[in-house]
Amino acid sequence: MAGKHLKKKENLWILFNGKEYCVGLTSEAQEELGTITFASLPKVGQVYQSGEPLIEVEAEKAVNEFASPLSGTVSSINEKINKDVCVLNDQDEMNAWILSFKDVDPEEFAKL
């Protein structure tokens, strides 16, 4: 059952929690990038189309831009990242959530 609510696309995971769509870095992305030292995040209320640049992450091995996996409005940001970017290096990839989307077409999520 969980499989329907958790999807992965291009090194991001997307979890539908019944209300919003949380997006975070997969453990594969963490391994590829190495230790993350900086992340530039969008603002709450910004609207994105799928495929548009969403977040930029600087790490020891690379600077990487991640495209938005969905079209929607940013409804929340993981405030911990601004205090301590190391949260994105967490072994538990669910703790490495970055932001949530609202106003997402469920069909688009289903097709991921």
Side-chain angles (χ1 to χ4, degrees), residues 47 54 79 98:
V47 178
L54 179 66
E79 296 295 341
I98 297 166

Side-chain angles (χ1 to χ4, degrees), residues 6-109:
L6 180 63
K7 311 234 179 202
K8 293 192 176 179
K9 181 179 180 183
E10 292 164 13
N11 283 339
L12 295 174
W13 56 260
I14 306 97
L15 175 71
F16 180 55
N17 63 15
K19 202 172 61 173
E20 297 182 321
Y21 297 81
C22 288
V23 178
L25 286 181
T26 62
S27 44
E28 294 83 17
Q30 292 170 329
E31 277 168 38
E32 265 178 45
L33 291 165
T35 304
I36 294 166
T37 53
F38 178 78
S40 96
L41 306 175
K43 304 256 181 287
V44 170
Q46 279 187 277
V47 178
Y48 284 87
Q49 296 300 313
S50 175
E52 284 186 336
L54 179 66
I55 40 184
E56 189 176 88
V57 173
E58 291 177 23
E60 59 184 347
K61 297 181 192 168
V63 173
N64 207 329
E65 198 170 66
F66 292 94
S68 181
L70 294 167
S71 299
T73 305
V74 176
S75 52
S76 63
I77 300 279
N78 184 347
E79 296 295 341
K80 288 182 187 163
I81 296 170
N82 292 329
K83 293 187 185 96
D84 184 5
V85 76
C86 289
V87 71
L88 293 178
N89 300 310
D90 199 298
Q91 287 297 306
D92 179 352
E93 65 181 25
M94 289 297 147
N95 288 333
W97 76 277
I98 297 166
L99 54 87
S100 297
F101 278 116
K102 62 181 182 179
D103 306 330
V104 170
D105 181 350
E107 281 295 303
E108 188 185 358
F109 179 70

